[in-house]
Amino acid sequence: MKQKDPATKNQRYLAVFLALTMLLSAGAIFFSGNLNKDKSDNASSSGNIEENNTIAFSQIPGRQVHHEFNSIADGLNMSLKG
């Protein structure tokens, strides 16, 4: 009987581990999604949550600057120097 190469055996274990990880993570998304929907429905009906108000960009305090931002070099030029 021919003995398998240890690298091939390890690759098989790695492949099985990755496949199980992918399947379990997909299952976790489905199960956690239903729980979050139920919690958000209950929380919104209780009336203790404040409403989200939209604030216009011009009402945000601070100095607003207009720069071209197309690369990392542009971002570095916008940053404070010194």
Side-chain angles (χ1 to χ4, degrees):
M1 184 181 255
K2 194 175 180 182
Q3 189 173 6
K4 291 185 178 182
D5 185 25
T8 305
K9 189 175 181 181
N10 290 338
Q11 287 176 347
R12 177 176 286 175
Y13 289 137
L14 180 62
V16 169
F17 172 74
L18 291 175
L20 286 174
T21 303
M22 288 188 291
L23 291 174
L24 291 174
S25 64
I29 291 172
F30 290 124
F31 290 118
S32 67
N34 291 337
L35 294 175
N36 289 337
K37 288 178 186 175
D38 294 340
K39 288 180 183 177
S40 65
D41 290 342
N42 292 337
S44 62
S45 64
S46 65
N48 294 333
I49 298 177
E50 297 178 13
E51 293 183 23
N52 292 334
N53 294 329
T54 305
I55 299 172
F57 182 73
S58 59
Q59 294 177 347
I60 298 173
R63 192 176 103 195
Q64 299 174 4
V65 294
H66 301 284
H67 286 286
E68 291 291 323
F69 184 61
N70 297 319
S71 67
I72 294 176
D74 292 337
L76 291 173
N77 287 334
M78 285 190 300
S79 66
L80 297 174
K81 297 176 184 174

